[in-house]
Structures are given as C-alpha cells and as structure tokens.
Amino acid sequence: MKIGLLAYHSAINFGATLQLLSTFMYMKNHGHTPIIINWVPEDLEAMYNRLSSGEQDTLYRNLRKNIWTESRLCRTDRDVAEVIREENIEAVVVGSDAVTQHHPFIERIVFPSRRIIGINEITSDRLFPNPFWGVFNEYLDRKVPVALLSGSSQDSAYQYISDSTKRAMKTAVEGYSYMSVRDDWTQKMIQHVTKGTVVPPVTPDPVFAFRFNAESLIPSKEEILKRFHLPEKYFVLSFLNDKSVSQGWLTSFEQKAAEKGIACVSLPFSHKDSFGSLAKSISLPLSPIDWFAVIRYSQGYIGNNMHPVIVSIHNNVPFFSFDNYGRTLLGGRRKDEQSSKILHLLRQAGLSQNRISCIASGYKAPKPEDVLEKILHFDLAVEKAFAEEYYKKYQTMMSDIIQAIS
C-alpha cells in the first residue's frame, strides 16, 4: 500500500525527525511504500527561515534527501489533495507530533506587553483547520482513509475554543479512520470538542520504537565515541537557558560527576548550543540520528525537553528531567504544569521522582549532588519494564492503524 505521511518533516528539530523517520521505516519494513507529503505553508516556512542556523539547515536538507522519499512541495489543503491524486496515495497517516493544535484568540493575548496588550502570532499549522485534520479530503472525489498517530495539542487552551470551531473540529475528528493521542491533555481536548463522543487512546511516541525500526541507521558506540572524542563513561547535559540551572550549578555537577569517574558533555538543541560551559561539548551541525546515539550510549541525561527523556527510556538510560513544559498565562502570573507531556509520561512510567517542573511557582533548582544521586541510583528495572510495555502498545497501535486504513 502507498501511504502518505504528514507531519513536521521540514522542522529543524531532532525529535520531529526521529518520530517521522521511525514511522517511515516501520512502513517500509512492513512492505508498504511510504512517501512524505511535503506540506509546508508559507507562514511556517517564513518562521523556519527566521530561525535558520546555516550549517544545521544544510545538514537537514541533505539528510531529508537520503533518509526518505518526499512529494513535491504543497502549500495548501488543495495542493495536498492534488499530490494524493498524482502519487496514487491510498491512505494518509498524520503525526506523530503537535499536529492537533488549536490556540484560541484568548490564549494568544499577551499582558502586559510593550503595547499594554499584545497578540502572539500563530502559524497556520497550529490553527484549525489545516491538512493535519484531514480537511484535504474535501477536494478529493474519492476520499482516502486518514489515521492520526499519537497526536499532541501542545498545551492548547481548549476550554476557550468557540462553539462553532468545536463543531467543525468534531466533524474533522469523526472523519479519521483511526485516532490516538500522545498525552492525556490532548485526550481531554478531543473529548471536550466532541462533547464526549470521542475519547482517543493515549499511545506511544514513535521514538519509543526508533531503535527497532531503524537500527541499521544508528552508528555503533565505538563510532560515536571516536567521532565526538568522548570517553567511555559520560553524562549528557542539555539546557535551553539559565532558567533551569546556573553556570555554577553546571560546574558543581561536573566536578561531582568527575569524582565518580564520569565526564560531562554538553549536547546542543537543534537550533542552538546548550546553555553554559562544560569541559566537553558537542556543537552544531549535528544529525538527529547521531544526537539519538549520543544519548543512547551515555550514563545518563540531565536537562530540558521531552524527546531526550523518551530516548533515555527507550534505551534504558538514567535521566533527570528539568521539565520546561506547561502553560504560562497572563504575562507569567498564572502557570499550569498539568499539560506537560513529560509529567504525563513519567506518571505513566512510575518515574516522576526524576522530574522537577521549571515553570512551577517558586521553582528552585535541586542541588547538583541530589540530581547526581538520583542518576546513580536510578531504577533501571522500572524504566526497562515501562519501555517494553510501551513498545508492545506501539506495535498494537501500528497494527490497528494498518488495519483501519487498509
């Protein structure tokens, strides 16, 4: 079966690439012909261009040519429909990633701002309707089945969505042949907009299966250690800014880790180097597959963002998450961590003790020695059991998707 894959394929983002590549390789390994539907709306492309980082962009463009097959460029819902016809695509799988977003007007208000009240700009991929919701089917004489794979609403304030938009979203949701979500916040959003008629299951992020789907693409430990001049034992640290920890915290942690015979390595984000200075660091450009492997072969991950935590769990690596997800409203005066994807995941895994919310009121960084102790005495058995459970759920999800779109 020829299957179109629709997600954030052009994002310069480690997690987004690994998600989609995992799905692409699964389809290929199971005898299907996957093709990435190259939908990039103009406003999203403009945002990517503003965030452009030179060599990393070049690396990603070359990587995309080598790791998967893409259609011609699409700008609109109608363009996506035309590509489906031209390529004889028989079904479409949307996701995973933040492909079920809608941010109502009230959520975009910034107060205070330079103009007293400001409005955050939102690109069209983050507002309903768009191709992620399957609306391209309106332009096809013969509709194709559409499956939503572990979608996320990315902290969308769904309580404020207007009644007319909720009705349209309900119609779109009911049009999916299969639907699952990545976290309970998104599950609640879908339940809300459909008035309880649809409660999608919470299913794994495809990165939980990356090693099984794409093992042939992952460099060996020996290759990674040699390429990045790494010692046998190292921790990976990756922080977006100084809101989680200070340079003094990093220096202290590095010293205490060295006393245990473990080096510390700074790992970049896809668009910038990690905050702070350590004796060893990896800089951009960096491929998402190498990024995955650096975490896989480490003694532990400490830092921000969700996908490093997923990579750690998937590879039975200890971690401590400085969780930077959640909603910050009213100019920072109201904070809500309940929509955090990491919070949901670690509650499911029974590993919440290895997380702290960086957006919580009165946040104070835990002591470096306390974080080190949590890493050194990490419950690897609980982590391994959860990873195995989630991989089984992943296999069931993918089997259900194939059955639904066939």
Side-chain angles (χ1 to χ4, degrees), residues 341-402:
K341 297 169 287 187
I342 295 176
L343 175 62
H344 167 78
L345 176 65
L346 298 190
R347 279 176 174 170
Q348 294 279 100
L351 295 168
S352 298
Q353 68 275 15
N354 280 72
R355 168 195 174 271
I356 188 169
S357 172
C358 297
I359 74 159
S361 298
Y363 165 75
K364 183 179 180 181
K367 294 178 181 179
E369 55 268 31
D370 292 342
V371 173
L372 180 60
E373 281 301 302
K374 284 185 177 292
I375 292 286
L376 294 176
H377 297 95
F378 191 89
D379 197 333
L380 290 171
V382 168
E383 183 183 51
K384 183 178 181 182
F386 177 73
E388 290 174 350
E389 174 194 344
Y390 245 40
Y391 181 56
K392 289 178 182 177
K393 286 186 177 181
Y394 171 83
Q395 290 176 301
T396 298
M397 171 185 70
M398 295 306 292
S399 177
D400 290 346
I401 286 173
I402 296 301

Side-chain angles (χ1 to χ4, degrees), residues 223-260:
E223 290 177 88
I224 288 296
L225 298 186
K226 182 177 180 181
R227 186 178 307 164
F228 297 107
H229 309 289
L230 299 176
E232 181 70 22
K233 292 185 176 182
Y234 62 91
F235 289 135
V236 170
L237 286 83
S238 196
F239 291 96
L240 287 162
N241 48 47
D242 62 357
K243 292 181 180 179
S244 299
V245 297
S246 65
Q247 177 59 51
W249 192 99
L250 292 172
T251 301
S252 177
F253 185 90
E254 184 175 36
Q255 291 171 346
K256 295 179 186 305
E259 293 170 4
K260 301 291 184 181

Side-chain angles (χ1 to χ4, degrees), residues 163-184:
D163 288 342
S164 59
T165 301
K166 282 191 288 187
R167 287 193 293 271
M169 292 175 79
K170 182 175 185 289
T171 299
V173 167
E174 291 171 345
Y176 290 122
S177 297
Y178 171 93
M179 181 181 196
S180 69
V181 295
R182 194 170 61 187
D183 54 80
D184 56 1

Side-chain angles (χ1 to χ4, degrees), residues 251-352:
T251 301
S252 177
F253 185 90
E254 184 175 36
Q255 291 171 346
K256 295 179 186 305
E259 293 170 4
K260 301 291 184 181
I262 305 173
C264 288
V265 178
S266 178
L267 187 66
F269 296 87
S270 54
H271 61 290
K272 61 183 285 189
D273 286 338
S274 176
F275 160 75
S277 177
L278 295 171
K280 294 184 179 294
S281 64
I282 296 173
S283 297
L284 300 174
L286 178 68
S287 88
I289 299 172
D290 285 351
W291 176 86
F292 175 97
V294 168
I295 298 173
R296 176 184 183 181
Y297 302 130
S298 74
Q299 304 301 117
Y301 173 83
I302 303 97
N304 300 138
N305 281 14
M306 178 187 68
H307 274 107
V309 172
I310 291 177
V311 173
S312 297
I313 294 173
H314 178 40
N315 291 287
N316 207 200
V317 171
F319 65 85
F320 189 88
S321 172
F322 286 78
D323 186 355
N324 51 314
Y325 293 106
R327 297 188 300 150
T328 301
L329 306 172
L330 299 175
R333 288 194 294 275
R334 180 184 169 194
K335 298 180 179 181
D336 178 12
E337 63 173 296
Q338 293 307 308
S339 63
S340 166
K341 297 169 287 187
I342 295 176
L343 175 62
H344 167 78
L345 176 65
L346 298 190
R347 279 176 174 170
Q348 294 279 100
L351 295 168
S352 298

Side-chain angles (χ1 to χ4, degrees), residues 57 67 93-94 120 122 171 253 303 358 375 377 393 403:
D57 292 5
I67 61 174
V93 175
V94 179
N120 275 334
I122 298 288
T171 299
F253 185 90
C358 297
I375 292 286
H377 297 95
K393 286 186 177 181
Q403 182 177 352

Side-chain angles (χ1 to χ4, degrees), residues 68-83:
W68 56 45
T69 304
E70 290 184 13
S71 74
R72 66 171 175 83
L73 180 64
C74 304
R75 295 294 193 190
T76 66
D77 304 336
R78 192 182 294 272
D79 290 343
V80 171
E82 290 174 357
V83 158

